[in-house]
Amino acid sequence: MGLFDMSKGSGVGFVKIKNTQNFTNQDLLDKLSGINVSFGTPQMGDIKGTQSVMYKKVSEKFDVFVRVDGNSVIMGKIGTDGVSSMATAMSMMVDMFAFDGAKDEGTSKADRAVDELGEIIKKLEAGETVTESNVTASVNTSSGKAIEYYMDQKILSINPKFDIYTEQHEPVYHVDGNITRLDFKVKNSAGMEVAEIKKKLIAILPEYTILQNGNEIGMLKKKLKLTSPELVGTLNGQEFKLQGDLMGFNFDVLVGSKSIGRIDTAQTIWADCYRIQILDESYKDLMIAIAVICDNVVDASKS
């Protein structure tokens, strides 16, 4: 592998995978037309005369494309109809180099779509039969849709006590942290403690233990990489990892091979917030704990 492995979703809006199956663009369209994804349906199009499979209007600013490029299949985001190419290019340059800032909502959505598409293409290149993406397959809620909660940006750098809200700004969880930010308790709207987070004081890199009912059920730690930090560990006896951009707060949360939720940035009527999207309702309480840990890691990294 080279210094930058572009075959994995990394939250930058571009993936490149070796075309071992010798797919054509028509092959890609035929296969993708039968696969359920969270961001639209494909159609054949072109980008300045180059044939490409397109997912239109994935967000207000961006379309998503996939096409054969030499010996590879590439996919990425591109300015949608009516958005100037210069504005799109500037937005992408800011995203690429602004490692200390969260992305806007539309950019986050497009980047997640590219990563979701990349996982599908990897499976197709491996000869697997695919009917839906990991994201759509992971939805396990009573409504059949992701549950969305919100947390104010940078709240931990101001006060270690805060609420998690619905879109209507109704509190559903309360997080109580001590002044040292080494211990956090997550309580539901009834005041019942549903998770506790303990941060190791002597760890060289941040390391966190998640407890429920006094029992340790997860251990997460920051892992340094050459290009960007990661958060890895175990949760309920399975591998835990993030897929995407931790420092930009735009990533999927994976337990084993399953995506249990997403965390990104959203604009609401009261403030810019971190959005916590829960795909599996059985992990609802733990997704709040994970969001608190991620914010603590990012906040400490930027301090």
Side-chain angles (χ1 to χ4, degrees):
M1 290 291 179
L3 179 62
F4 297 101
D5 181 5
M6 300 307 296
S7 68
K8 298 179 180 179
S10 55
V12 298
F14 183 81
V15 178
K16 181 178 182 179
I17 298 170
K18 190 170 180 61
N19 189 7
T20 58
Q21 298 287 343
N22 296 314
F23 289 137
T24 65
N25 288 326
Q26 187 61 51
D27 292 334
L28 293 174
L29 177 62
D30 292 343
K31 290 181 177 296
L32 292 171
S33 295
I35 299 174
N36 186 27
V37 298
S38 68
F39 52 87
T41 56
Q43 63 187 66
M44 191 63 82
D46 72 82
I47 301 173
K48 293 187 176 180
T50 300
Q51 187 184 57
S52 304
V53 178
M54 307 293 298
Y55 290 84
K56 305 293 286 184
K57 285 283 187 180
V58 169
S59 70
E60 184 178 346
K61 291 192 298 184
F62 294 109
D63 297 336
V64 165
F65 72 90
V66 55
R67 65 177 175 85
V68 175
D69 181 52
N71 295 323
S72 302
V73 175
I74 62 173
M75 60 222 75
K77 63 178 186 276
I78 188 169
T80 193
D81 300 337
V83 177
S84 76
S85 58
M86 180 63 72
T88 302
M90 288 298 295
S91 176
M92 292 176 70
M93 288 294 289
V94 169
D95 293 341
M96 190 72 75
F97 295 106
F99 296 113
D100 61 344
K103 303 176 185 179
D104 67 71
E105 186 172 357
T107 302
S108 292
K109 186 175 181 180
D111 286 347
R112 289 198 314 269
V114 173
D115 289 349
E116 186 177 336
L117 186 57
E119 288 297 313
I120 292 172
I121 298 299
K122 285 174 68 174
K123 290 181 180 180
L124 293 176
E125 290 289 357
E128 298 181 32
T129 299
V130 185
T131 59
E132 60 182 339
S133 70
N134 286 343
V135 173
T136 58
S138 296
V139 177
N140 179 28
T141 64
S142 56
S143 67
K145 298 179 181 179
I147 300 168
E148 294 191 358
Y149 295 140
Y150 298 84
M151 181 172 76
D152 291 343
Q153 287 185 7
K154 311 303 177 195
I155 194 71
L156 295 184
S157 63
I158 302 170
N159 191 328
K161 302 177 188 293
F162 58 96
D163 291 324
I164 308 294
Y165 298 96
T166 66
E167 191 172 12
Q168 291 72 40
H169 211 223
E170 299 169 343
V172 285
Y173 287 94
H174 179 74
V175 180
D176 232 337
N178 61 18
I179 195 65
T180 64
R181 297 180 176 86
L182 296 177
D183 186 82
F184 296 91
K185 297 182 187 298
V186 181
K187 299 178 182 179
N188 62 20
S189 56
M192 181 182 299
E193 182 180 311
V194 295
E196 183 178 6
I197 304 161
K198 290 185 177 294
K199 181 179 180 180
K200 284 192 176 181
L201 179 62
I202 60 174
I204 297 176
L205 294 175
E207 189 171 313
Y208 303 83
T209 301
I210 302 177
L211 301 97
Q212 284 188 316
N213 300 317
N215 299 314
E216 181 179 329
I217 54 94
M219 190 281 291
L220 312 183
K221 61 181 178 180
K222 181 182 178 183
K223 177 182 177 183
L224 280 181
K225 291 181 63 181
L226 185 60
T227 53
S228 61
E230 289 186 344
L231 194 65
V232 298
T234 58
L235 192 63
N236 287 335
Q238 299 185 75
E239 181 187 12
F240 169 95
K241 62 180 180 179
L242 303 182
Q243 179 175 287
D245 181 5
L246 171 61
M247 294 302 293
F249 243 75
N250 177 31
F251 49 83
D252 290 339
V253 180
L254 280 71
V255 176
S257 60
K258 181 178 181 179
S259 176
I260 64 168
R262 293 169 164 169
I263 300 176
D264 67 357
T265 303
Q267 288 78 47
T268 66
I269 60 173
W270 71 87
D272 287 351
C273 299
Y274 296 135
R275 173 172 46 196
I276 306 165
Q277 294 179 287
I278 300 158
L279 301 179
D280 188 330
E281 204 158 358
S282 66
Y283 282 93
K284 185 168 67 170
D285 299 336
L286 293 180
M287 276 295 297
I288 305 303
I290 291 165
V292 172
I293 290 172
C294 289
D295 192 54
N296 190 263
V297 170
V298 171
D299 187 59
S301 298
K302 293 178 180 179
S303 295

